[in-house]
Amino acid sequence: MRLFYAIEFDEKTKDVLAEKQKALREKAVKGNFSLRDNLHLTLRFMGEVPQSDLPVLTGIQDAVSKRHGPFSLEFAEIGTFERGNSCIVWVGIKRNSELFELQQDLEREIAKSGFQPETRPYKPHITLAREFVPDGDLDKIIREMGLLNHKFDVKSISLMESTRINGKLTYLCTYRTDISKEK
Ligand code: 2AM
């Protein structure tokens, strides 16, 4: 199973992101745009994991969820990662200590359970499009897209499976837990 931990979005948040994707699509020679229902914020990518590891992963999630309470996140800048002749376009998240602590706690538990630790720093981002080729100057396009003034609540975390259904990339929630610790 190809698995990752993520924060899923409410419908309004998906609307705000889909709106930006629409604007971006109008400025693309080509691009592989994330499907609306696949929009999410990754906390930790696990990669290919045998199904027999699922109980360990849900156990990690239970333990971590109990130690954190709900919080809010805000979108930040739109950014790009260069990939040869194309790029990945993403939306960043404003620095947030609750998100950082949640992600660190998850990482600690994952490493403690014997999985390969993640060595790269956590860069919270939501991928809007891959293989994006701009129709014109990329910096100008990004600048003109403006900011996403949107705040949303995080009340749960999810273990997601990345799979293909009838050839379509689909992210299925395998296990969802509330982050329920009281302040
Ligand atoms: P991306 O959007 O930056 O590609 C499902 O594929 C989720 O896991 C996506 O959020 C994706 O991030 C992330 N992901 C896929 N492969 C990854 C990897 N090798 N390292 C970290 N995150 C990865």
Side-chain angles (χ1 to χ4, degrees):
M1 301 175 88
R2 190 176 171 83
L3 299 176
F4 59 100
Y5 291 102
I7 290 170
E8 294 181 279
F9 298 142
D10 56 71
E11 295 303 314
K12 171 72 195 156
T13 301
K14 286 185 194 175
D15 284 346
V16 171
L17 292 165
E19 183 96 358
K20 284 290 166 194
Q21 280 183 310
K22 201 168 143 217
L24 197 59
R25 209 183 283 270
E26 283 164 15
K27 304 282 183 191
V29 170
K30 86 178 180 84
N32 178 0
F33 290 81
S34 309
L35 295 175
R36 186 182 185 281
D37 282 336
N38 282 351
L39 292 165
H40 67 275
L41 173 65
T42 293
L43 285 168
R44 175 42 148 101
F45 180 70
M46 298 303 301
E48 291 293 333
V49 169
Q51 197 161 355
S52 55
D53 279 348
L54 262 185
V56 180
L57 293 176
T58 56
I60 289 171
Q61 193 174 329
D62 284 334
V64 171
S65 296
K66 286 195 192 104
R67 293 197 286 259
H68 302 266
F71 57 93
S72 298
L73 289 177
E74 239 177 300
F75 290 139
E77 78 292 351
I78 295 176
T80 59
F81 296 140
E82 302 268 337
R83 293 285 184 273
N85 293 329
S86 66
C87 67
I88 294 169
V89 184
W90 47 265
V91 176
I93 296 284
K94 282 199 185 151
R95 192 175 278 277
N96 181 291
S97 59
E98 285 157 303
L99 173 67
F100 182 74
E101 281 158 22
L102 175 64
Q103 184 272 334
Q104 289 285 296
D105 194 6
L106 192 55
E107 187 57 49
R108 247 190 327 268
E109 284 294 326
I110 289 167
K112 227 166 70 182
S113 300
F115 293 96
Q116 195 69 22
E118 174 63 73
T119 50
R120 291 171 305 177
Y122 180 55
K123 280 195 201 144
H125 67 276
I126 301 134
T127 300
L128 294 182
R130 297 184 171 80
E131 294 165 44
F132 180 79
V133 178
D135 184 7
D137 180 62
L138 178 63
D139 291 340
K140 185 161 174 275
I141 290 170
I142 299 294
R143 233 182 5 255
E144 284 175 357
M145 279 185 58
L147 294 172
L148 292 90
N149 283 317
H150 180 68
K151 208 169 172 173
F152 57 99
D153 295 329
V154 180
K155 298 177 186 150
S156 63
I157 60 174
S158 304
L159 182 60
M160 308 293 293
E161 182 184 3
S162 169
T163 184
R164 291 212 172 250
I165 299 179
N166 298 327
K168 189 170 116 180
L169 178 67
T170 309
Y171 300 145
L172 296 175
C173 176
T174 301
Y175 191 60
R176 184 180 298 122
T177 46
D178 288 341
I179 42 175
S180 52
K181 184 172 176 243
E182 287 183 25
K183 290 201 175 162

